[in-house]
Amino acid sequence: MEVKEEVHLKVEEKYQPPAQLVERVWIKDYESLYQESIKDREGFWAKVAEELHWFKKWDKVLEWNYPNAKWFVNAKTNITYNCLDRHVKNGRRNKVAYIFVDEDDREKKITYGELLELVNRIANGLKSLGVKKGDRVSIYMPNTIEAIACMLACARIGAIHSVVFAGFSEGALRLRIEDAKAKVVMTATYTKRRGKKIDLLATVQNAIDGLGFVEKVVVWDRDGDVLNGSGGLFVSLNELIKNSSPECEPAQMDAEDPLFILYTSGTTGKPKGVLHTTGGYMVGTYFTTKINFDLHEEDVYWCTADIGWITGHSYIVYGPLACGATSVITEGAPDYPNPGRWWSYVERYRVNVFYTAPTAVRMFMRFGEQWPAMYDLSSLRILGSVGEPINPEAWQWYYKHIGREKCVIVDTWWQTETGMHMITTIPSYPSKPGKAGKPYFGVEVAVVDNKGKELPPNTVGNLVIKTPWPSMLRTCWGEPERYEKYWNTIPGYYLSGDLATYDEEGYVMILGRADDVLNVAGHRIGTMEVESAIVDHPAVAESAVIGKPHDIKGESIKAFVILKKGVEPSDHLKEEIKQHVRHILGAIAVPDEIEFVEKLPKTRSGKIMRRVLKAQELGLPVGDVSTLED
Ligand code: WT7
């Protein structure tokens, strides 16, 4: 009882950023710049774009043919030129771009000069394999400097990368390679997690079996003991690097040329390939990284995400590099070999800006504050949060035990589709625990009912975006109708799929998804995707999946399963079904709970009513069941 009341009070509490931090932030007055950015959105983004290098300037900032946008029309640039060459030419050649640490505490640093050479060598290597502008390259690699270099090598020559999180298993990987029709797949022999080697190459071999369009698999042979030279389908990345020139002219990319595809879950069984383009994405990620993390020249920045997710793309790779930052990246589990791992790196590298997910914060809460207490975390200035709403308890813990009450917490709301932060607290104005903050510069949001009527403060509704922004998705790969759905479900608005409310001061509070999409440990998982993996098991007739509140993961997966006639339910079978999901989708999508049932609640048209199952499961009122068949 007591705890709950306290939490409620703290939701309304405001936390002022420390004065010496505010003194030097890039943007001191949010309100006036926000108003300016909305009045002249194009002028605002053009001014930001001027900070970057363009081979040719734009004719027009925005061309908006609802729902299709073109940003920086006819401009030419290359994002790797802005991420690498620009710095190397301007005094950052010997500045460290990444500090990598693996689970065995082996460290590897790479400077901007070295990274540029590495990227160029790989880019030349890809060219030698016949990769051309517009070709798709799937990347299935661990969170390492090498993987980042592969992404940048694609961007260097205009190939479209499609990074697949290395925790996904072969079914998920195959679907993504197939959908993108990747000409080349890049991978590594293994990754290490919790002391165990995970064979990535074997997964790729299975995933591409029979996919004739895959011409080459480029393999980073991490210990140099797997690939016997290069030949046939498999090519050694090590050899490509060794045998290629360190110079490679960046391709002149149109601002609207595709940069990458990243698959994300939707409400159908098939994930959608969110497509981002070059110019607008570059401008959006550059500016949000610089402002929201208040990055300065000497800062050490650490985003704990994986390059397999949008957070990795925007805030490990493109944003920080465009800013010329020094970033920490790690491979492996946050709590292995012990829960002090992350905090020891904050101390060792004097990390100033730290960006993680609420699920990680809650995990460390459970381990106890004695772990961070062992380390000097005084270098920290800004703490970021992303992936799901941060509950006030976790916010307080993060503030107190990591930030030592001297840091600003920026809660950043955005999506794979938005490419950049859209609603966030910026370091110059007070934060409110549990509320993400205010709309970003140039971004107009609203909370509306299902018909699109704007709702007053403190009312829950659909979170929508009213106007285009530079790093917005341009389409869904091969499925333009899915792109249009974002904009025509509630005509005139981009529908985020989240529920939200805002207060009198304009702070937006995100309440979670409104659709059949789960958020498990900050990862987006479609209920339909899990259901189809379950139904793929030979003993299963039908399945329905729901999310249940979970202390650490935010949501956990529960599956209701109808078995085929004659199949005996058993615990062994439950285990088997879980293994099957692990095999098809990967560990993150495995249900925590399986319940065998005889029937599922359905509408008369046969759609499973997951919300009825969920209400029953949680003992909540079931709501309107007039469409229920039985
Ligand atoms: C969904 C997007 C954006 C990178 C990570 C996830 C939820 C994300 C927040 C936040 C509340 C958040 C939303 C959103 N979400 N950040 N700060 N507060 N919810 O990317 O997989 O595209 O998922 O994550 O529900 O729609 P994603």
Side-chain angles (χ1 to χ4, degrees):
M1 246 349 246
E2 223 176 72
V3 177
K4 271 207 176 125
E5 269 165 28
E6 188 184 279
V7 166
H8 184 73
L9 281 175
K10 292 223 162 115
V11 170
E12 289 315 313
E13 213 168 322
K14 267 200 212 173
Y15 285 74
Q16 295 293 338
Q20 79 263 43
L21 193 150
V22 177
E23 219 164 86
R24 67 159 202 176
V25 291
W26 293 114
I27 290 169
K28 289 205 171 77
D29 183 356
Y30 164 84
E31 293 301 337
S32 64
L33 186 61
Y34 179 75
Q35 290 312 328
E36 210 180 288
S37 74
I38 293 307
K39 244 181 262 141
D40 178 15
R41 185 177 315 107
E42 293 178 37
F44 175 80
W45 286 115
K47 218 156 105 195
V48 175
E50 294 284 353
E51 294 181 26
L52 295 163
H53 182 87
W54 303 81
F55 302 134
K56 177 184 169 287
K57 287 271 161 72
W58 47 92
D59 298 331
K60 218 173 141 191
V61 179
L62 170 67
E63 205 175 277
W64 180 225
N65 287 315
Y66 173 85
N68 297 300
K70 281 187 180 161
W71 282 88
F72 306 108
V73 182
N74 292 330
K76 301 278 183 272
T77 189
N78 187 295
I79 198 165
T80 71
Y81 187 93
N82 280 287
C83 287
L84 302 169
D85 309 59
R86 192 167 60 93
H87 305 309
V88 168
K89 287 188 163 83
N90 293 300
R92 293 187 182 128
R93 176 181 287 277
N94 298 316
K95 181 174 179 178
V96 173
Y98 291 104
I99 307 166
F100 166 81
V101 210
D102 71 12
E103 274 191 344
D104 303 310
D105 210 22
R106 275 182 306 218
E107 173 195 288
K108 184 168 163 180
K109 290 183 180 167
I110 192 163
T111 64
Y112 275 90
E114 291 163 342
L115 184 59
L116 174 60
E117 285 198 10
L118 179 63
V119 167
N120 283 345
R121 285 174 188 274
I122 301 173
N124 285 324
L126 288 174
K127 274 189 188 169
S128 75
L129 299 177
V131 177
K132 296 193 177 64
K133 184 175 167 184
D135 285 344
R136 274 79 59 209
V137 174
S138 294
I139 298 177
Y140 184 69
M141 292 177 81
N143 204 43
T144 52
I145 290 169
E146 286 72 10
I148 294 171
C150 288
M151 295 166 72
L152 295 165
C154 291
R156 188 84 177 166
I157 62 174
I160 305 170
H161 61 69
S162 163
V163 180
V164 181
F165 173 54
F168 277 127
S169 51
E170 66 183 66
L173 175 60
R174 182 184 178 89
L175 189 144
R176 287 159 175 77
I177 293 172
E178 215 174 354
D179 192 73
K181 290 274 170 312
K183 192 176 197 173
V184 166
V185 179
M186 305 184 92
T187 190
T189 40
Y190 63 87
T191 182
K192 254 179 117 176
R193 195 165 173 91
R194 299 193 185 283
K196 277 196 289 245
K197 275 191 182 177
I198 299 161
D199 191 337
L200 299 178
L201 180 55
T203 305
V204 170
Q205 278 170 313
N206 291 334
I208 62 165
D209 186 38
L211 300 183
F213 53 83
V214 176
E215 292 176 14
K216 293 285 174 200
V217 178
V218 177
V219 185
W220 174 32
D221 194 350
R222 293 187 80 171
D223 299 330
D225 56 356
V226 174
L227 283 203
N228 248 327
S230 288
L233 186 59
F234 297 92
V235 177
S236 152
L237 178 70
N238 319 35
E239 295 288 317
L240 275 189
I241 292 170
K242 219 185 318 168
N243 300 331
S244 304
S245 152
E247 267 158 54
C248 175
E249 275 300 305
Q252 301 252 336
M253 302 297 286
D254 188 89
E256 281 301 328
D257 277 335
L259 176 63
F260 66 83
I261 302 169
L262 184 60
Y263 288 86
T264 189
S265 297
T267 50
T268 73
K270 185 179 168 291
K272 34 193 170 185
V274 167
L275 183 89
H276 282 287
T277 57
T278 303
Y281 177 82
M282 172 174 86
V283 170
T285 53
Y286 160 72
F287 194 61
T288 46
T289 306
K290 176 175 165 180
I291 302 310
N292 306 342
F293 299 126
D294 192 43
L295 275 189
H296 292 265
E297 193 58 47
E298 66 285 5
D299 280 343
V300 175
Y301 163 87
W302 182 10
C303 165
T304 68
D306 187 284
I307 49 144
W309 310 109
I310 192 67
T311 308
H313 285 61
S314 299
Y315 298 109
I316 294 177
V317 184
Y318 293 110
L321 288 179
C323 291
T326 297
S327 297
V328 174
I329 61 161
T330 64
E331 180 182 12
D335 56 339
Y336 185 89
N338 65 56
R341 184 181 183 204
W342 278 8
W343 318 124
S344 74
Y345 297 164
V346 170
E347 175 182 284
R348 187 192 300 165
Y349 301 114
R350 307 240 135 261
V351 173
N352 307 105
V353 181
F354 181 76
Y355 189 29
T356 197
T359 185
V361 174
R362 290 191 299 264
M363 183 183 80
F364 285 110
M365 268 172 85
R366 196 193 47 182
F367 287 128
E369 58 245 33
Q370 71 276 15
W371 286 101
M374 280 187 252
Y375 300 94
D376 176 2
L377 307 182
S378 60
S379 56
L380 290 172
R381 199 172 76 240
I382 291 172
L383 304 176
S385 175
V386 62
E388 58 179 305
I390 179 161
N391 50 306
E393 296 96 314
W395 198 102
Q396 296 294 344
W397 193 89
Y398 199 22
Y399 183 74
K400 193 159 167 211
H401 297 290
I402 306 304
R404 311 269 159 91
E405 302 185 357
K406 289 192 184 75
C407 291
V408 161
I409 296 186
V410 294
D411 183 0
T412 60
W413 178 87
W414 59 297
Q415 308 179 296
T416 303
E417 294 87 339
T418 70
M420 67 175 214
H421 300 158
M422 299 297 279
I423 296 173
T424 174
T425 312
I426 67 166
S428 56
Y429 68 77
S431 343
K432 294 187 185 182
K435 296 190 174 177
K438 303 183 190 185
Y440 199 63
F441 303 106
V443 174
E444 283 178 285
V445 304
V447 174
V448 302
D449 67 14
N450 288 340
K451 295 205 173 76
K453 196 178 116 234
E454 289 200 23
L455 298 172
N458 304 314
T459 316
V460 177
N462 300 293
L463 177 62
V464 296
I465 302 165
K466 296 163 77 169
T467 45
W469 63 101
S471 64
M472 61 192 264
L473 79 164
R474 299 302 197 266
T475 190
C476 294
W477 186 255
E479 299 180 299
E481 63 290 348
R482 277 181 108 171
Y483 170 74
E484 276 155 27
K485 229 183 129 187
Y486 287 101
W487 289 95
N488 63 22
T489 306
I490 298 179
Y493 297 121
Y494 168 88
L495 185 64
S496 69
D498 279 2
L499 294 172
T501 167
Y502 63 96
D503 65 20
E504 287 81 0
E505 291 179 301
Y507 284 72
V508 180
M509 181 166 163
I510 313 289
L511 299 159
R513 301 288 304 192
D515 52 15
D516 287 326
V517 171
L518 309 179
N519 189 333
V520 180
H523 299 311
R524 200 201 289 194
I525 297 170
T527 46
M528 289 269 280
E529 262 176 281
V530 183
E531 287 162 6
S532 54
I534 292 173
V535 172
D536 189 66
H537 188 283
V540 176
E542 253 190 295
S543 167
V545 161
I546 60 162
K548 280 173 73 170
H550 185 276
D551 280 352
I552 292 170
K553 297 194 281 190
E555 250 182 328
S556 69
I557 303 177
K558 170 153 188 181
F560 297 87
V561 171
I562 303 180
L563 293 172
K564 283 188 181 151
K565 279 223 165 62
V567 178
E568 277 301 310
S570 68
D571 285 346
H572 174 76
L573 187 53
K574 284 185 185 171
E575 238 3 83
E576 232 185 57
I577 294 170
K578 287 185 187 178
Q579 280 309 321
H580 195 72
V581 176
R582 183 187 304 268
H583 178 70
I584 292 189
L585 295 175
I588 54 167
V590 174
D592 293 76
E593 236 183 298
I594 291 181
E595 184 179 328
F596 294 126
V597 292
E598 298 290 327
K599 252 185 145 179
L600 291 168
K602 286 188 187 165
T603 62
R604 274 176 279 271
S605 60
K607 254 180 93 181
I608 296 170
M609 294 180 80
R610 295 184 191 82
R611 74 175 168 83
V612 172
L613 281 171
K614 188 163 175 164
Q616 280 174 347
E617 180 71 24
L618 304 179
L620 299 169
V622 176
D624 177 19
V625 286
S626 57
T627 55
L628 194 65
E629 171 206 46
D630 193 352

